Amino acid sequence: MKIIVGLGNPGPKYAGNRHNIGFMAVDALHRRHAFGPWTRKFKAEISEGELAGEKVLLLKPQTFMNLSGEAVGEAVRFYKLAPGDIIAIYDELDLAPGRARLKTGGGHGGHNGIKSLDAHCGKDYRRLRLGIGHPGAKELVNNHVLGDFAKADAVWLEPLLDALADNAEMLVRAEDSQLLNKLALATGAPAEPDAPARPKPPAPPSAPKPAGKSHIRQARPDVPKMLPTTGPMADMLKRMFAKKDGD
């Protein structure tokens, strides 16, 4: 059995919030597949069904985001499941809108819902993070996550949720790379992180050119100028300078 939990805040006030994309994803799965009606149990709304030949419990905690782990923990203990049987779907500030990442374990990244799941269920559960983008400044984060999606976001949000619902069996079978490719194709977002550009190694410094010399002089080493002290040439030079001194 698998538990697919979408994280969000209960009530109509929060229904369209970016922070509630986990609820929206689970609702999309519920609409697309043969799940039973929503009922209340484990401090959550739950619905039972089957995907990829396996029993699946859809779960939306009704405890508010910061206490999401209480609901999931109760369900895990009731069904005697392990952390690896949990799939959590939630919003991710550090991913661009429309991008998705899927992994097992990891840190909470400051997400209060994930902090609560870690505390009640351990960390070794699967995490499907759906990007909502970052507003650009820390002081804007709260209003961003608790603000509603804009109408323009429908361009990527609806295809993302539809693709996730269409390929939900891949999620249950842990066909992670295939699922991420499907989501990327639906939204036009890259399936994998962009490879960072490798900086080019700096060019070696060129040797400075000697100032005030032609290219001919540069190609020819300077030779110390030596005057002969013996021989015919020396005698001639002595006579020349002696004559000049006597003028």
Side-chain angles (χ1 to χ4, degrees):
M1 182 178 182
K2 301 292 183 187
I3 294 178
I4 301 179
V5 52
L7 299 187
N9 288 309
K13 175 182 177 181
Y14 303 101
N17 286 183
R18 295 178 180 88
H19 216 24
N20 273 39
I21 196 171
F23 274 15
M24 297 175 191
V26 169
D27 283 337
L29 298 183
H30 186 267
R31 289 192 299 269
R32 188 64 49 88
H33 300 278
F35 281 86
W38 291 106
T39 59
R40 296 293 293 261
K41 194 175 182 180
F42 311 125
K43 300 178 184 177
E45 289 186 356
I46 65 170
S47 176
E48 294 185 4
E50 188 176 293
L51 287 170
E54 185 161 3
K55 187 175 181 180
V56 173
L57 181 74
L58 301 180
L59 189 148
K60 295 188 293 183
Q62 300 297 293
T63 55
F64 287 93
M65 184 69 78
N66 294 7
L67 301 176
S68 298
E70 293 183 2
V72 182
E74 285 192 19
V76 166
R77 290 188 293 273
F78 181 85
Y79 291 107
K80 297 180 173 59
L81 301 176
D85 298 316
I86 304 168
I87 305 168
I89 307 176
Y90 59 99
D91 58 298
E92 176 56 75
L93 275 169
D94 293 330
L95 287 177
R99 290 196 178 191
R101 296 290 180 270
L102 184 55
K103 67 175 182 178
T104 298
H108 55 71
H111 194 291
N112 289 329
I114 295 301
K115 285 182 184 179
S116 183
L117 258 69
D118 288 353
H120 288 270
C121 307
K123 296 184 178 182
D124 295 328
Y125 54 90
R126 293 174 63 217
R127 305 157 190 235
L128 175 58
R129 298 176 291 148
L130 304 178
I132 61 169
H134 197 286
K138 186 176 181 180
E139 60 270 19
L140 301 177
V141 165
N142 191 61
N143 288 337
H144 181 70
V145 298
L146 293 179
D148 286 354
F149 282 108
K151 289 183 179 179
D153 291 323
V155 174
W156 62 265
L157 180 60
E158 292 178 4
L160 175 69
L161 298 178
D162 287 344
L164 178 58
D166 289 342
N167 298 283
E169 291 191 349
M170 290 182 178
L171 183 63
V172 173
R173 290 195 296 258
E175 296 172 350
D176 294 358
S177 59
Q178 295 94 319
L179 176 61
L180 291 178
N181 284 333
K182 293 288 187 181
L183 300 183
L185 287 172
T187 61
E192 297 298 332
D194 295 331
R198 295 185 180 182
K200 294 182 179 179
S206 56
K209 295 181 179 180
K213 293 188 178 182
S214 70
H215 65 285
I216 299 174
R217 290 294 301 275
Q218 291 174 35
R220 185 176 62 206
D222 289 334
V223 179
K225 295 178 175 60
M226 302 289 291
L227 295 177
T229 58
T230 59
M233 182 63 71
D235 293 339
M236 183 183 71
L237 289 173
K238 286 179 182 179
R239 288 195 297 270
M240 288 176 62
F241 286 112
K243 184 179 181 181
K244 184 177 291 188
D245 293 340
D247 289 343

